[in-house]
Amino acid sequence: TQRRLLMVYLTISCFSVFQALHQLYYDPNIENKNLAQKWLMQAQISPQAWQFCWALLSPDKVPEIQYFGASALHTKISRYWGDIPAEQYDTLKTQLFSQIALFASGSKIVLTRLCVALASLALNMMPEAWPSAVSEMVRMFQEEGGGVDGRARCLALLELLTVLPEEFQTSRLPQYRKGQVRGALGREWAAVYPLLQQLLRQPDSPALVKARVLKCLSSWVLLDVPLSESEGLLEAGFAALSDPELFDTAVEAIVNAISQPDSQRYVNTLLKLVPQVLQLQEQLREAVQNGDMETSHGICRIAVSLGENHSRALLEQVEHWQSFLALVNMIMFCTGIPGHYPVNETTSSLTLTFWYTLQDDIMSFEAEKQAVYLQVYRPVYFQLVDVLLHKAQFPTDEEYASWSSDEKEQFRIYRVDISDTLMYVYEMLGAELLSNLYDKLGRLLTNAEQPTSWQHTEALLYGFQSIAETIDVNYSDVIPGLIGLIPRININNVQLADTVMFTIGALAEWLADHPVMLSSVLPLVLQALGNPDLSVSSVSTLKKICRECKYDLPPYATNIVAVSQEVLIKQIHKTSQCMWLMQALGFLLSALPVEDILRNLHSLITPYIQQLEKLAEETPNPSNKLAIIHILGLLSNLFTTLDITKQEDESGESAPPVKSTPPQSGPNPVVVVLQQVFALIQTVLSKWLNDSQVVEAVCAIFEKSVKTLLHDFAPMVSQLSEMLGQMYSTIPQASALDLTRQMVHIFASETDHFPPIKALFELVTSVTLTIFQQGPRDHPDIVDSFMQLQAQALKRKPDLFLSENLDVKATELLPHCADIPPVGQVVQEDGKLLLLAVLEAIGGQSSRSLMDQFAEVLFSMNKHCFGLLTVWLKEALQSPGFPSSRVSDEQKDTFSQQVLRERVNKRRVKDIVKEFTLVCRGLHGTEYAAEY
């Protein structure tokens, strides 16, 4: 069938296009549909399209066929303008006007497509070949005749005027032409404005016409039409807001006009808009009262766009400060709109960015002026905090249970946005904000007479948490009181318990400076560890406390380890939280004496080692694979943070002497454990060597240990190098190369460890080169890891490449061709082959998205092997038709000279390569080049 279709389609004619369209719309076979679509796309850009597109627009054709004809016209005009002779412009224009007149009372989708085609024609002809395009369009459609009624002509004209600016926004005009055409369109606004004004103000204008007028206004304001020249239309737009049929299009037009960057220059017009926005408050309140979310949303958009885009300009009009304050209060009403987001309202989220903008503008004034504005606006921002915390409150348990998972997720994101806003507002309100929150929480928790909802308590704590998470609250005098209040909270709800946990976690740094308060909160955290519903919050909080306060935790260590061990054995937490918990224990153990570390490690790890021994004896299957990876992951995460050498806190300052542990002697506890389980890990590997995930998990244990322990890992280097070599020789995997890279990074420069590292490096290089000979495309992860290993070796220990056992031909070594003789020899022998491959790729054999990478190779060759490159380029580019038959000898010479000139500016080489690859592909000067 497909072969028959292809034969039918070989000749592009009206008949074959009809057949292909029929195939596309009505053939149930999806392969035939795809084939027809591909062919039609080709037909649309063929020279024959000029013939068949007019025939397809015939009145006796169905709309689907007419639509394709109109689309083909648009494609030819917009993408292949250069193919149209100048003497045919006027004929084409006349034909399009005629077709639009015919379809004014016909199919809307075909009419729109024809309007887009005429718009594209106008944009390509303006300003020289068609200087008054818009005026002519208006005149043509205002003339009687053609048997088309006035209303249909009017709607067709509005459609044309609407798509014209839209087509300009997406047109492929070169940049210099865009500037010219934008200017010409701006001048044509004088012909559009009176028409739109007349149609909006005419009492007998139908709602459909008014809606199209507003849509047209929306389109034109995107061209940065001066706001002052749209005043009358905007006023009519505000009047249209009272008409439900026009409401949405009026909102869009007003918002688009106000939001244009250029509109801030027209302060007088903006000042006239403020009272018009304020007059919408009654309509807004009624909408909120009636639960009309669409109307309240639209009015809020208008108020926010005026405030957000022009707050600075309006703030500076000091004599109008009261009207701007009224606008701010209107936006405050929108922020605090009744109901729970996103179920009862979706408006409040629109306002949050406004509060950032207003604050930025106030804080950017010089000190004296800023002080005046702060007197007015600090109380507003304190009110905002109350409103935001009210909006952040959870609904009743019953209502929340009825929400969908999507609604709960949207509410979570909304609360994060509120949290970010509170953190930002803190910069303006400072310590007084924390005192304010503390006073409210204190009154709430100590007032026995008035019952309090958990939602209110949770929201106030959430406010504290939002600020403490990112702001340094160490100086605050209310935190001790807050820590004292936390145990008084009646935690009878999961959401409240979560927030209590996160708040304690946010105060971990403060607790490190005030360790006496640890005893107040640590029992709460350990108790929460046993609740699976509090898994994320309790584990992350314990991790933060163990990281920040580890030197103060030895008295609590036994209890923390015991509780953690219990929840791990009971499998209360998901995998990721188990990993976090192990990291927390690693931080905790780091501050203990070595004998205590070893004792705790023994009790903590022994059950897992016993389990791993059992699993190692079993026949591999999916179930025990997951168990093995889980246990290996637990060990990895524990060793990631267990670091007895680090006597410094996270900020890089030395910990106080009273907190530091005594100097340790003997092997590192992690090394002791690794040596004990090494044989077991080898046993596991022997059964699972062909499973990349298990191998990765094994490598992760050693990689994380190496990163943490650094030179303390030394006792393991020899046996690990041997094991890695055996692993990689049997079944090469990228994770083994990554671990080798870590070993090279840390130990290659140490004399004692050089022999095993050298042997491992030679072995993995040899094995990888064998893979490369078989075809590296099947192993992209190995290629990537191998190249990173080679780069690391060159950086840390170039001597590795002097080995007689090493074939360095596979590595990217250009920068070292002068200082490493074997590398220089490889470049001499094979550099030209590399250049030929690069030129072939630039010539069109590789994706254009990779050109920056090929340019990097050229730049490196030019920088480090300039003499050789000069000769090779000349020889390579002498071949006829290389790297492309589309480039002339002159263009090749220019390219060669441009590349050889640039030995410093890599960006310039990338541009040269991009330009040349377009020439090689025959794309230079096309619209594809404009997008590249």
Side-chain angles (χ1 to χ4, degrees):
T1 305
Q2 287 187 16
R3 189 176 296 158
R4 192 172 71 250
L5 281 170
L6 274 171
M7 294 301 292
V8 170
Y9 296 160
L10 277 175
T11 308
I12 296 175
S13 64
C14 277
F15 178 70
S16 55
V17 171
F18 292 149
Q19 282 200 303
L21 284 166
H22 189 275
Q23 204 80 39
L24 178 65
Y25 290 121
Y26 305 114
D27 194 320
N29 185 313
I30 193 70
E31 287 184 10
N32 288 349
K33 278 180 182 290
N34 291 339
L35 182 66
Q37 187 171 18
K38 283 178 186 171
W39 184 86
L40 284 165
M41 287 170 73
Q42 291 301 311
Q44 205 168 218
I45 62 175
S46 69
Q48 294 93 318
W50 287 118
Q51 281 74 50
F52 70 67
C53 58
W54 301 110
L56 297 180
L57 288 165
S58 172
D60 61 337
K61 301 292 182 288
V62 294
E64 291 93 330
I65 288 177
Q66 293 170 334
Y67 179 82
F68 182 77
S71 291
L73 270 174
H74 173 246
T75 301
K76 295 297 285 184
I77 294 168
S78 62
R79 295 192 184 182
Y80 301 95
W81 178 251
D83 296 348
I84 307 172
E87 59 271 16
Q88 288 183 17
Y89 291 172
D90 286 336
T91 310
L92 188 53
K93 184 206 307 181
T94 305
Q95 285 176 297
L96 281 167
F97 270 125
S98 301
Q99 288 292 339
I100 290 171
L102 285 171
F103 278 91
S105 305
S107 167
K108 173 73 169 62
I109 58 166
V110 180
L111 173 66
T112 300
R113 213 73 205 130
L114 287 167
C115 287
V116 172
L118 181 56
S120 185
L121 179 80
L123 295 173
N124 279 294
M125 290 175 70
M126 290 169 78
E128 297 88 357
W130 195 2
S132 304
V134 179
S135 305
E136 189 177 332
M137 289 173 186
V138 172
R139 192 180 67 255
M140 289 280 289
F141 281 92
Q142 284 180 331
E143 290 172 0
E144 297 287 337
V148 183
D149 74 80
R151 182 179 164 187
R153 276 204 322 277
C154 175
L155 289 171
L157 173 58
L158 287 171
E159 185 67 22
L160 178 56
L161 293 176
T162 301
V163 300
L164 184 61
E166 292 170 354
E167 179 68 5
F168 173 77
Q169 304 291 353
T170 58
S171 69
R172 293 181 167 90
L173 293 170
Q175 208 55 44
Y176 78 95
R177 286 272 299 127
K178 273 216 161 186
Q180 289 176 347
V181 175
R182 180 187 280 275
L185 284 171
R187 290 189 292 276
E188 293 276 25
W189 175 240
V192 179
Y193 179 84
L195 172 73
L196 301 186
Q197 181 87 310
Q198 179 194 346
L199 290 171
L200 266 185
R201 289 189 170 171
Q202 255 174 231
D204 59 342
S205 276
L208 178 60
V209 170
K210 287 185 175 180
R212 294 284 175 84
V213 168
L214 290 165
K215 196 178 172 199
C216 187
L217 172 61
S218 268
S219 184
W220 275 84
V221 295
L222 297 176
L223 293 173
D224 290 334
V225 168
L227 193 65
S228 57
E229 293 178 20
S230 310
E231 272 184 31
L233 285 172
L234 285 173
E235 199 176 314
F238 274 99
L241 290 168
S242 58
D243 184 339
E245 283 188 76
L246 301 177
F247 183 83
D248 289 342
T249 43
V251 168
E252 212 58 47
I254 294 166
V255 168
N256 281 351
I258 293 172
S259 304
Q260 288 314 299
D262 194 49
S263 58
Q264 60 194 328
R265 290 167 43 201
Y266 305 98
V267 177
N268 289 333
T269 306
L270 292 172
L271 288 170
K272 290 177 191 173
L273 291 175
V274 174
Q276 293 182 67
V277 174
L278 294 175
Q279 280 173 8
L280 299 172
Q281 289 182 94
E282 189 54 42
Q283 189 180 354
L284 173 62
R285 287 196 175 87
E286 279 180 23
V288 170
Q289 210 169 342
N290 299 330
D292 182 355
M293 286 167 66
E294 286 182 15
T295 300
S296 56
H297 195 82
I299 294 173
C300 174
R301 280 184 65 200
I302 292 171
V304 169
S305 64
L306 182 58
E308 194 175 303
N309 289 289
H310 306 294
S311 65
R312 187 172 186 99
L314 293 170
L315 276 169
E316 287 180 331
Q317 308 311 306
V318 181
E319 65 277 17
H320 297 278
W321 71 272
Q322 285 172 309
S323 64
F324 182 61
L325 182 57
L327 178 66
V328 171
N329 284 323
M330 182 179 177
I331 296 172
M332 180 76 78
F333 176 81
C334 295
T335 305
I337 206 160
H340 286 289
Y341 182 95
V343 177
N344 316 112
E345 63 90 7
T346 55
T347 298
S348 56
S349 62
L350 299 178
T351 66
L352 298 181
T353 313
F354 164 75
W355 298 108
Y356 285 79
T357 307
L358 178 61
Q359 179 176 324
D360 284 345
D361 289 335
I362 291 170
M363 301 307 278
S364 68
F365 289 129
E366 67 275 7
E368 197 176 326
K369 197 173 179 182
Q370 186 187 113
V372 175
Y373 282 102
L374 284 174
Q375 275 188 317
V376 176
Y377 285 100
R378 269 176 69 87
V380 172
Y381 272 83
F382 273 113
Q383 183 191 348
L384 174 66
V385 171
D386 291 343
V387 167
L388 289 175
L389 290 178
H390 180 72
K391 293 297 293 181
Q393 285 187 24
F394 279 88
T396 62
D397 294 338
E398 189 181 354
E399 192 182 340
Y400 189 66
S402 71
W403 285 12
S404 68
S405 57
D406 186 48
E407 286 167 341
K408 288 177 180 176
E409 176 60 11
Q410 284 185 58
F411 181 59
R412 185 193 68 77
I413 294 167
Y414 175 67
R415 278 171 50 100
V416 170
D417 291 340
I418 286 177
S419 172
D420 292 343
T421 311
L422 289 170
M423 178 198 76
Y424 206 75
V425 167
Y426 179 84
E427 291 182 28
M428 179 192 273
L429 303 181
E432 196 181 336
L433 173 55
L434 288 177
S435 303
N436 186 295
L437 292 174
Y438 173 65
D439 291 344
K440 286 186 172 133
L441 187 63
R443 284 198 299 275
L444 207 62
L445 295 175
T446 54
N447 187 345
E449 297 170 16
Q450 195 177 347
T452 60
S453 69
W454 70 262
Q455 287 92 339
H456 199 170
T457 306
E458 189 278 336
L460 285 168
L461 270 180
Y462 186 68
F464 265 112
Q465 176 207 325
S466 303
I467 294 160
E469 263 178 344
T470 46
I471 306 286
D472 181 7
V473 294
N474 282 7
Y475 63 88
S476 172
D477 55 0
V478 304
I479 303 299
L482 172 64
I483 297 280
L485 283 175
I486 285 176
R488 300 182 64 140
I489 297 171
N490 177 22
I491 304 176
N492 55 1
N493 174 279
V494 170
Q495 283 86 17
L496 176 57
D498 253 338
T499 303
V500 168
M501 284 301 109
F502 283 127
T503 305
I504 294 170
L507 296 171
E509 284 186 41
W510 184 89
L511 288 166
D513 291 336
H514 306 82
V516 70
M517 304 300 284
L518 276 167
S519 58
S520 301
V521 293
L522 202 52
L524 287 174
V525 178
L526 294 179
Q527 186 184 348
L529 271 186
N531 185 343
D533 291 332
L534 304 178
S535 182
V536 172
S537 59
S538 62
V539 174
S540 67
T541 296
L542 181 65
K543 182 182 165 185
K544 284 179 181 176
I545 289 174
C546 289
R547 184 182 65 212
E548 302 297 337
C549 313
K550 62 183 176 185
Y551 298 111
D552 301 297
L553 290 178
Y556 309 97
T558 305
N559 196 17
I560 294 172
V561 172
V563 173
S564 301
Q565 225 170 335
E566 186 183 348
V567 299
L568 284 166
I569 289 166
K570 287 182 177 175
Q571 298 182 340
I572 285 172
H573 301 291
K574 291 181 179 172
T575 299
S576 53
Q577 278 71 56
C578 292
M579 303 306 157
W580 292 357
L581 191 49
M582 278 303 209
Q583 288 179 23
L585 294 172
F587 286 125
L588 173 73
L589 298 181
S590 299
L592 301 180
V594 169
E595 57 272 21
D596 290 351
I597 296 175
L598 287 169
R599 189 180 68 253
N600 278 294
L601 278 177
H602 183 263
S603 69
L604 190 61
I605 290 175
T606 299
Y608 294 110
I609 300 304
Q610 289 169 348
Q611 197 182 342
L612 194 59
E613 284 171 343
K614 260 177 78 178
L615 291 165
E617 291 170 8
E618 294 175 10
T619 307
N621 66 63
S623 168
N624 56 27
K625 170 185 166 175
L626 287 175
I628 287 170
I629 290 174
H630 181 74
I631 293 169
L632 295 173
L634 292 174
L635 294 177
S636 290
N637 281 277
L638 178 63
F639 297 157
T640 300
T641 54
L642 207 171
D643 183 9
I644 63 171
T645 61
K646 207 171 188 179
Q647 298 301 320
E648 293 183 343
D649 66 16
E650 291 298 304
S651 65
E653 297 168 1
S654 296
V658 292
K659 295 185 176 183
S660 60
T661 55
Q664 312 290 353
S665 56
N668 189 293
V670 172
V671 173
V672 172
V673 173
L674 284 175
Q675 286 175 327
Q676 288 171 354
V677 300
F678 197 82
L680 174 57
I681 287 173
Q682 283 182 305
T683 307
V684 170
L685 266 180
S686 66
K687 285 197 174 179
W688 290 91
L689 199 51
N690 62 346
D691 189 295
S692 62
Q693 290 173 304
V694 175
V695 172
E696 209 171 294
V698 167
C699 289
I701 291 180
F702 294 105
E703 191 176 350
K704 288 178 178 178
S705 302
V706 170
K707 279 182 180 174
T708 306
L709 302 183
L710 300 175
H711 298 285
D712 277 6
F713 191 81
M716 299 286 301
V717 169
S718 183
Q719 60 191 130
L720 181 57
S721 297
E722 189 181 340
M723 185 183 88
L724 269 177
Q726 290 168 353
M727 275 169 56
Y728 197 74
S729 301
T730 313
I731 298 178
Q733 298 197 25
S735 50
L737 289 172
D738 295 335
L739 178 50
T740 303
R741 176 163 53 85
Q742 283 297 328
M743 303 265 282
V744 166
H745 176 66
I746 294 163
F747 294 107
S749 297
E750 294 189 11
T751 314
D752 293 350
H753 304 298
F754 185 64
I757 296 282
K758 178 171 177 274
L760 175 60
F761 183 75
E762 289 173 357
L763 178 65
V764 297
T765 300
S766 170
V767 171
T768 309
L769 291 184
T770 308
I771 295 171
F772 281 12
Q773 284 161 6
Q774 294 161 359
R777 285 178 185 274
D778 298 334
H779 308 279
D781 53 340
I782 288 179
V783 174
D784 184 39
S785 295
F786 179 71
M787 290 304 175
Q788 289 188 47
L789 167 62
Q790 300 297 317
Q792 184 68 262
L794 278 166
K795 229 182 277 178
R796 302 292 295 176
K797 191 71 174 172
D799 299 7
L800 285 166
F801 293 93
L802 296 172
S803 166
E804 292 175 4
N805 302 326
L806 193 70
D807 177 3
V808 294
K809 288 194 176 205
T811 56
E812 292 183 6
L813 313 169
L814 289 171
H816 295 272
C817 58
D819 55 334
I820 304 177
V823 174
Q825 191 178 342
V826 169
V827 173
Q828 286 269 7
E829 292 171 4
D830 297 328
K832 188 178 176 184
L833 283 175
L834 173 63
L835 176 65
L836 288 169
V838 168
L839 290 173
E840 202 171 282
I842 294 170
Q845 296 303 307
S846 282
S847 165
R848 281 189 288 151
S849 63
L850 299 173
M851 288 306 114
D852 278 359
Q853 285 74 16
F854 290 118
E856 296 245 9
V857 177
L858 268 184
F859 179 75
S860 190
M861 292 179 86
N862 198 26
K863 192 173 180 181
H864 302 290
C865 332
F866 176 73
L868 292 169
L869 181 63
T870 308
V871 176
W872 294 337
L873 258 181
K874 189 176 179 182
E875 290 173 357
L877 294 176
Q878 274 177 349
S879 304
F882 182 83
S884 163
S885 56
R886 293 188 178 91
V887 285
S888 65
D889 289 343
E890 188 182 347
Q891 287 168 319
K892 289 197 273 190
D893 284 345
T894 304
F895 171 69
S896 177
Q897 288 164 21
Q898 286 177 326
V899 168
L900 292 169
R901 263 202 304 271
E902 296 297 340
R903 301 183 67 188
V904 177
N905 190 340
K906 190 189 292 184
R907 180 71 263 160
R908 176 72 187 121
V909 175
K910 288 180 179 179
D911 291 341
I912 292 164
V913 167
K914 282 183 179 177
E915 188 80 9
F916 190 61
T917 197
L918 289 170
V919 176
C920 289
R921 295 163 197 258
L923 296 175
H924 195 264
T926 66
E927 77 272 8
Y928 298 105
E931 292 170 3
Y932 185 36

